Amino acid sequence: MEASAPAKVILFGEHAVVYGEPAIAVALNLRTTVEVYPGSEYTVNGYPMQDKYHSYIRNAIKLCWDNGPLEIITQSDIPSSSGMGSSASITVAMIAALLSSKGAVNEEDVAKLGFEVEYITQGRASPIDTSTVTHGKGILVDKTLRENYLWEIEKNGVVWRIHHIEVPELKLVVGFSGIRASTAEMVARVRRFYQWNSFARDVVKEIGKLTLSAIEPLESEDYEKIGELMDKNNKLLTILGVNHPVLKKMLEIARKHSYGAKITGAGGGGSIVALTDEQDEVVKALNSAGFEAYKVRISREGFRVENQN
Ligand code: PMV
């Protein structure tokens, strides 16, 4: 069994989406491929499977497989802890590969199981990453039922309705700070602020409103406006406490050649995303300052079952 899934980047609404506010993410043209064979013991890339290193794969197996040990081989273009969804991508590719042994695989099943795996592996989370890499293209998460509705996921009283959203061929650069922050810890930190402080709850709502206001500019390819909204979203994330001095420096560098730029994903380290017409310039400027940076495009394709026997 063999399947692959793309990377992703969150354009608007991270953290707020954990509380049911809207968010927008797109799939990227980097992929993870998983090959799965029957084996005599569980192995990953030739080594015995270990909970510590292979928690997403292990939990995917737990939810989708009861048929004996597997030899698993993974290959990924996605740098880990880069904010580009390497864990969502391997989770979804793994689930698609396992389900493919039982017949045709549909997006909704993969997205729902993908969310469960992320949830049990990293604690509180939203389904944005796993739904984006399942579907490809662009995803709007919004509790309001809209046109292009795909599926709904519910956990602990929070409902996320996943919608397809039309996105243009955005030219993006993802810059990695080199600081590996744990998504679970950052989500927990924002959660404490959210629980105890009504101002934090207002900021979360504000991020939700801003995300909805980005739909029209995305549909009409108004890059100036999209960039302006990315900058504004970043200010609100800074208030939530997920910025970092290194990320601030990276944003300053990227903005010299961009319509706008923001932290993407959990923050506290991790990555920034910039919208630009000058991808090479942004990559060069970030590289010169000592940061890894990736020129990325939108992937129209979500998961793909490569080889179904
Ligand atoms: O760090 P990432 O790329 O996994 O993104 C996390 C996004 C959060 O909104 C902070 C958490 C979530 O699960 O939605």
Side-chain angles (χ1 to χ4, degrees):
M1 300 165 288
E2 182 177 343
S4 68
K8 69 92 209 8
V9 70
I10 300 178
L11 291 182
F12 297 100
E14 51 272 269
H15 285 289
V17 69
V18 173
Y19 308 96
E21 290 296 328
I24 295 172
V26 291
L28 301 177
N29 61 330
L30 304 171
R31 297 186 81 82
T32 303
T33 303
V34 170
E35 290 170 57
V36 182
Y37 306 94
S40 50
E41 56 167 342
Y42 277 103
T43 60
V44 179
N45 298 328
Y47 295 96
M49 185 165 76
Q50 286 187 51
D51 289 1
K52 195 162 124 198
Y53 301 116
H54 309 121
S55 50
Y56 291 94
I57 292 177
R58 197 264 327 255
N59 286 330
I61 291 169
K62 218 182 230 174
L63 295 192
C64 308
W65 187 251
D66 48 16
N67 237 343
L70 297 170
E71 201 177 290
I72 297 146
I73 295 169
T74 69
Q75 188 280 322
S76 187
D77 314 324
I78 311 169
S80 67
S81 309
S82 64
M84 289 196 274
S86 57
S87 55
S89 182
I90 197 156
T91 300
V92 162
M94 188 67 203
I95 290 169
L98 294 175
L99 294 187
S100 72
S101 71
K102 300 171 189 165
V105 187
N106 74 69
E107 283 192 359
E108 184 168 347
D109 289 346
V110 173
K112 288 185 167 170
L113 285 161
F115 171 66
E116 281 304 321
V117 169
E118 278 220 328
Y119 192 90
I120 54 179
T121 312
Q122 71 182 39
R124 198 179 176 85
S126 82
I128 190 162
D129 288 11
T130 38
S131 281
T132 305
V133 308
T134 297
H135 179 64
K137 307 162 250 327
I139 284 286
L140 165 72
V141 183
D142 185 10
K143 52 182 168 247
T144 310
L145 203 50
R146 295 165 170 270
E147 219 189 313
N148 296 331
Y149 167 72
L150 296 171
W151 53 80
E152 176 178 301
I153 293 178
E154 194 266 337
K155 195 90 181 175
N156 298 332
V158 183
V159 175
W160 294 277
R161 292 197 167 115
I162 315 293
H163 303 77
H164 166 81
I165 183 175
E166 283 307 321
V167 281
E169 288 298 328
L170 300 171
K171 290 186 190 134
L172 301 168
V173 170
V174 176
F176 178 42
S177 66
I179 302 166
R180 291 174 201 275
S182 138
T183 297
E185 267 169 42
M186 296 310 293
V187 169
R189 188 195 293 189
V190 172
R191 183 165 175 69
R192 284 194 291 277
F193 191 26
Y194 181 89
Q195 272 176 331
W196 300 111
N197 193 312
S198 68
F199 177 57
R201 293 194 284 277
D202 289 345
V203 172
V204 162
K205 282 210 188 87
E206 201 55 42
I207 293 177
K209 268 198 242 153
L210 181 143
T211 298
L212 291 182
S213 75
I215 298 173
E216 199 282 322
L218 276 168
E219 284 171 351
S220 62
E221 301 184 31
D222 183 347
Y223 299 120
E224 299 276 350
K225 186 72 193 169
I226 300 165
E228 184 191 313
L229 290 169
M230 287 168 77
D231 289 346
K232 279 194 183 151
N233 193 164
N234 193 70
K235 284 202 175 108
L236 295 168
L237 286 167
T238 303
I239 300 173
L240 288 184
V242 300
N243 212 327
H244 185 285
V246 173
L247 295 171
K248 280 188 189 156
K249 184 173 155 202
M250 296 174 76
L251 290 168
E252 263 168 43
I253 295 169
R255 281 189 183 128
K256 288 190 187 129
H257 310 277
S258 301
Y259 293 107
K262 61 183 273 294
I263 299 165
T264 184
S271 295
I272 62 150
V273 59
L275 175 64
T276 177
D277 279 339
E278 300 167 45
Q279 282 174 304
D280 290 326
E281 289 301 315
V282 177
V283 169
K284 219 164 76 191
L286 286 167
N287 286 165
S288 310
F291 301 108
E292 280 172 39
Y294 307 89
K295 212 163 107 171
V296 287
R297 284 186 288 110
I298 308 251
S299 166
R300 301 278 144 201
E301 189 175 41
F303 80 82
R304 181 170 74 223
V305 174
E306 308 274 355
N307 187 2
Q308 195 162 346
N309 292 320

